[in-house]
Each structure stands twice: as structure tokens, then as C-alpha cells.
Amino acid sequence: MARETDPLIGFHFMLDLEGVATGYFTEINGMGSENEIVDHGTYDLTQKIPGRLKWGDITLKRGVTSTLDIWKWRKMVEDGKVEDARTNGSIIMLDQELKPVARWDFINAWPSKISGPQLQSDSTNYGLEELTIVHEYITRSQ
């Protein structure tokens, strides 16, 4: 039995766009923020202060399925409809019983990149597709 203070096991993730589950992913990274560092002061005393705030791009990977939802979302941007493509969403981490155990919410997101699998005839690996999402804010809400 896991304790409340035990680290969560990260193996199953869901992308939710405005309340609609858009898919389950096996790898997600880039969720976070950072400040640029500004050196301020004179030649003998320098203070480091926070500069511009930057949000990391979120990269999601999953096995190729027959679902085209993320490809259709990316197509909106390719067609110049970025404002229509912008949406709020969440990355939801699920436990082994598929119950939410952690959640990161982001706003004004749109897909900046999508790529299909690398195909090799002598490989037994699953084909993976990758989606990169840019956004204007992210926070951990659960």
C-alpha cells in the first residue's frame, strides 16, 4: 500500500483539451517554467535578479493509433487558424487503476510540431508519434 508521501509512479498520462480526453501518452516532458537570469550591479558587486518568465514547450509521445485528433488539431495551425486552435487543457497522470493522481493545467495552447514514427522494416518497436505544444502558462493543480 502506497503512502501519501511516496513518489508517484509515472507511467500513464492523458491529454485533456477543454474537458475532452484527447489521448493517452507514454512519455511527456517539458512541463515547467523558468526565469532568465539578469546580472545587475557594478564591477565589484553583482546581484542576480529574475528576468523574463518562460514556459517550457510540452512534448508528448504515444504509440501510433487510428485516432487522428492531434493531427487534425495541428492541421488547424498549418491552415493559419492559430486562434481557433488555441485551447486550454491538462496533462493528467493516472495510477495503475487509471485514477487521476496528479494534474498540470495549461492555457492558450496550440500544437507547434507533430511528427510520425520512424519506420524500419527490421524493427519490432512500436511506431511513435510526437506532439509539441506551446502555451502561455502552466500550473500543477493536483
Side-chain angles (χ1 to χ4, degrees):
M1 183 68 126
R3 297 172 299 184
E4 189 174 313
T5 57
D6 287 345
L8 300 173
I9 298 172
F11 79 101
H12 201 80
F13 306 93
M14 179 176 74
L15 173 64
D16 176 296
L17 298 177
E18 296 198 348
V20 178
T22 305
Y24 296 93
F25 293 80
T26 55
E27 184 178 334
I28 300 176
N29 57 56
M31 297 184 298
S33 68
E34 70 176 290
N35 284 89
E36 293 178 353
I37 306 301
V38 176
D39 290 331
H40 180 73
T42 61
Y43 68 93
D44 62 343
L45 177 63
T46 301
Q47 182 181 18
K48 295 191 180 290
I49 58 175
R52 290 188 313 174
L53 180 61
K54 300 186 301 185
W55 305 102
D57 298 345
I58 302 171
T59 303
L60 304 98
K61 293 181 184 179
R62 72 176 180 187
V64 174
T65 68
S66 60
T67 306
L68 299 176
D69 51 359
I70 62 174
W71 290 87
K72 290 177 182 176
W73 188 30
R74 174 65 187 146
K75 181 79 167 103
M76 293 171 73
V77 176
E78 292 170 354
D79 292 343
K81 300 176 183 171
V82 178
E83 287 308 311
D84 293 340
R86 284 185 186 273
T87 188
N88 300 332
S90 301
I91 304 292
I92 303 168
M93 185 175 169
L94 306 168
D95 67 10
Q96 294 172 334
E97 296 172 354
L98 301 182
K99 294 179 184 170
V101 292
R103 179 185 190 104
W104 293 263
D105 300 318
F106 51 84
I107 62 169
N108 289 331
W110 55 274
S112 65
K113 179 181 176 184
I114 194 165
S115 58
Q118 295 180 352
L119 303 174
Q120 293 178 286
S121 62
D122 62 347
S123 175
T124 58
N125 293 335
Y126 289 105
L128 295 177
E129 53 190 9
E130 184 176 313
L131 176 70
T132 301
I133 299 173
V134 296
H135 57 88
E136 296 173 1
Y137 179 79
I138 190 167
T139 186
R140 181 165 175 197
S141 60
Q142 178 185 356

